[in-house]
């Protein structure tokens, strides 16, 4: 009996993961408001029954998808920032963070859909605010550990101010990226902006 329950649980986990992966692909291609439950099921290779055994609505699936991806990216950013020891190698850290944040244009499309959706739903908006707060906290924690080893420009105030500035720079660059799809240019600009923000001298655009 216990072994049967474990198999059912594993199968359910796999089914849910396939639905989320399929939904990500379909949402990125068509946009959240233009996708039906049937399209997600077809992309995943499941029936509507499999969908409803995991999610009550398409909104619930979208919410679960966003949280899963957002948590992964917050973890990746934290890991990318944690590789230098107590001294913060700003250029190397910026390189690693921009690799994590900028390569997935599909994620940016889905995230933008979620932003528009959240702007009309306070509960969903709170989930987005929570994600942004986790990203900022990961950055602030890393900058805080580097205090005494790496000085931040005084204009940023404290590590929280610096973390807000980093996320704001990312928001601006990725808006342009969504329009021109030039990942290399976006990565280059973000590296320049973040280096300038986090060091006294900054860098000279190449």
């Amino acid at each position: 009996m216990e072994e049967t329950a474990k198999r059912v649980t594993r199968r359910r986990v796999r089914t849910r993961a396939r639905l989320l992966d399929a939904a990500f692909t379909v949402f990125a291609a068509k946009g959240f408001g233009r996708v039906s439950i049937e399209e997600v099921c077809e992309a995943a290779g499941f029936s509507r029954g499999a969908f409803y055994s995991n999610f009550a609505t398409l909104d619930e699936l979208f919410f679960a998808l966003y949280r899963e991806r957002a948590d992964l990216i917050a973890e990746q950013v934290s890991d990318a920032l944690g590789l230098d020891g107590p001294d913060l190698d700003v250029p190397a850290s910026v390189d690693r963070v921009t690799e994590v944040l900028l390569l997935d244009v599909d994620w940016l499309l889905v995230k933008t859909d979620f932003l528009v959706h959240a702007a009309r739903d306070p509960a969903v908006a709170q989930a987005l605010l929570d994600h942004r707060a986790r990203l900022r906290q990961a950055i602030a924690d890393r900058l805080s550990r580097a205090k005494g080893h790496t000085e931040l420009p005084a204009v940023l105030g404290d590590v929280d101010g610096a973390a807000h500035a980093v996320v704001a720079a990312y928001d601006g660059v990725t808006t342009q990226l969504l329009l021109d799809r030039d990942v290399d240019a976006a990565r280059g600009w973000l590296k320049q902006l973040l280096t300038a923000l986090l060091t006294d001298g900054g860098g000279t655009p190449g």
Side-chain angles (χ1 to χ4, degrees):
M1 180 72 71
E2 183 178 346
E3 185 59 33
T4 299
K6 287 181 179 177
R7 285 200 300 270
V8 170
T9 299
R10 286 195 295 268
R11 185 166 63 247
R12 184 183 180 89
V13 168
R14 287 195 297 270
T15 298
R16 180 183 175 89
R18 281 177 57 184
L19 284 166
L20 289 170
D21 286 344
F24 182 83
T25 300
V26 177
F27 288 151
K30 300 185 66 174
F32 172 66
R34 300 177 180 179
V35 172
S36 67
I37 290 175
E38 288 77 10
E39 287 174 296
V40 173
C41 291
E42 182 179 353
F46 290 129
S47 67
R48 287 173 63 94
F51 179 94
Y52 285 117
S53 70
N54 287 275
F55 305 102
T57 64
L58 204 56
D59 275 23
E60 184 180 320
L61 180 148
F62 191 50
F63 185 84
L65 172 66
Y66 183 85
R67 291 296 296 268
E68 177 187 78
R69 298 281 172 151
D71 287 346
L72 173 62
I73 287 176
E75 181 180 344
Q76 289 174 329
V77 169
S78 182
D79 289 346
L81 289 170
L83 297 177
D84 292 321
D87 190 18
L88 183 65
D89 182 341
V90 171
S93 292
V94 166
D95 282 351
R96 290 194 298 267
V97 169
T98 53
E99 290 291 332
V100 170
L101 288 177
L102 274 176
L103 284 176
D104 194 349
V105 175
D106 283 348
W107 160 249
L108 296 177
L109 287 168
V110 173
K111 190 180 77 161
T112 301
D113 274 346
F114 196 81
L115 173 62
V116 173
H117 187 51
R120 296 185 173 90
D121 186 326
V124 179
Q126 189 58 55
L128 183 55
L129 289 170
D130 288 346
H131 164 58
R132 292 172 68 83
R134 287 197 301 278
L135 274 179
R136 289 196 304 270
Q137 192 60 52
I139 296 165
D141 286 348
R142 182 64 188 93
L143 296 176
S144 181
R145 292 198 303 275
K147 286 184 70 174
H149 301 271
T150 305
E151 292 300 322
L152 294 173
V155 69
L156 295 176
D158 56 14
V159 293
D160 290 329
H164 274 82
V166 168
V167 174
Y170 170 65
D171 287 342
V173 169
T174 53
T175 297
Q176 182 68 25
L177 172 59
L178 280 171
L179 297 175
D180 64 23
R181 301 300 185 94
D182 191 337
V183 175
D184 290 338
R187 186 182 296 114
W189 274 111
L190 188 60
K191 287 179 180 180
Q192 290 172 10
L193 283 171
L194 295 186
T195 301
L197 278 169
L198 298 176
T199 63
D200 285 317
T204 301

